[in-house]
C-alpha cells in the first residue's frame, strides 16, 4: 500500500507540473495505477482483518464510502476547477501522507500456518460457483452504473477547463 500510494503521489505531482500531453498522460497513468492498487490493498486488508461472514458487508461499505466521498467532493472541487494544478499538488501531498501512515500505523497480519488453498485454481473455482454466477451480473451492473455516474463529470471538465470542443470529446 505504501509503495503504491507513493506512486499515486508521484503521478499527481507529475500531473500538476506537466505542460504537455505526454507528461499529463504519464502522471494520470501513475495516479490510476496507484489508486487501483490502493483499492486492491483495501480489499486485501478487509479479507485479512474481518471474519469471512462479514466480507460482503465490509466490502460493500468500502465501495459505498468511496463512492459517496467522490460524489461529495465533486461540488467543492468544481469550484476550484481553475486551480487544478494546486488540487493535484494537494492530492500528491495527501497520497504521500497516506504512504507514510501505512508504513507507520498498519500492523503486520498474523502469519498463516498450515496449508493454504491452491490459489492457481481459485479463479476457476469462483467462476464455476453457481452463487457467484447468479450475483456477478447484478454486481457488475451496480458497480458499472456507479462508475458511469461518477465519470459523467469528465466531458464537462474537458470543455470548461481545458477548452476542448464537445466534438473532440
Amino acid at each position: 500500500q505504501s509503495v503504491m500510494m507513493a506512486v499515486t503521489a508521484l503521478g499527481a505531482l507529475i500531473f500538476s507540473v506537466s505542460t504537455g500531453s505526454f507528461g499529463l498522460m504519464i502522471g494520470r497513468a501513475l495516479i490510476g495505477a496507484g489508486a487501483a492498487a490502493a483499492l486492491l490493498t483495501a480489499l486485501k486488508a478487509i479479507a485479512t482483518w474481518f471474519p469471512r461472514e462479514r466480507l460482503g458487508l465490509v466490502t460493500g461499505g468500502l465501495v459505498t464510502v468511496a463512492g459517496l466521498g467522490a460524489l461529495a467532493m465533486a461540488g467543492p472541487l468544481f469550484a476550484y476547477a481553475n486551480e487544478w494544478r494546486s488540487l493535484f499538488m494537494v492530492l500528491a501531498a495527501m497520497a504521500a501522507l497516506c504512504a507514510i501512515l501505512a508504513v507507520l500505523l498498519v500492523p503486520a497480519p498474523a502469519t498463516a500456518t498450515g496449508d493454504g488453498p491452491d490459489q492457481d485454481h481459485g479463479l476457476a473455482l469462483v467462476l464455476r460457483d453457481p452463487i457467484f454466477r447468479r450475483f456477478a451480473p447484478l454486481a457488475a451492473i451496480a458497480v458499472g452504473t456507479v462508475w458511469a455516474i461518477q465519470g459523467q463529470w469528465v466531458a464537462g471538465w474537458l470543455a470548461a477547463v481545458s477548452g476542448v470542443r464537445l466534438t473532440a470529446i
Side-chain angles (χ1 to χ4, degrees), residues 5-18 23-24 26-32 88 91-92:
M5 288 310 296
V7 168
T8 303
L10 177 63
L13 184 62
I14 290 171
F15 194 88
S16 71
V17 298
S18 292
L24 293 171
I26 294 297
R28 186 61 187 101
L30 290 172
I31 292 169
F88 277 92
L91 173 61

Side-chain angles (χ1 to χ4, degrees), residues 100-165:
I100 293 166
L101 290 175
V103 169
L104 297 177
L105 300 178
V106 176
T111 303
T113 58
D115 293 332
D118 184 5
Q119 293 187 6
D120 293 337
H121 301 288
L123 180 60
L125 181 69
V126 169
L127 293 175
R128 285 193 306 265
D129 186 281
I131 295 173
F132 172 79
R133 294 176 75 133
R134 188 172 0 149
F135 287 105
L138 177 61
I141 290 169
V143 171
T145 301
V146 168
W147 288 352
I149 290 169
Q150 290 178 0
Q152 287 181 348
W153 65 270
V154 173
W157 182 83
L158 286 170
V161 176
S162 298
V164 178
R165 293 193 343 249

Side-chain angles (χ1 to χ4, degrees), residues 30-41:
L30 290 172
I31 292 169
L39 172 63
L40 293 177
T41 303

Side-chain angles (χ1 to χ4, degrees), residues 20-86:
S21 61
F22 181 74
L24 293 171
M25 286 189 297
I26 294 297
R28 186 61 187 101
L30 290 172
I31 292 169
L39 172 63
L40 293 177
T41 303
L43 294 174
K44 173 60 178 159
I46 288 170
T48 301
W49 293 103
F50 288 90
R52 186 177 190 169
E53 59 274 3
R54 296 283 185 229
L55 293 181
L57 175 65
V58 178
T59 302
L62 168 71
V63 172
T64 301
V65 168
L68 289 174
L71 289 174
M73 289 308 300
L77 289 178
F78 182 74
Y80 294 98
N82 291 331
E83 300 294 327
W84 65 271
R85 290 186 187 275
S86 299

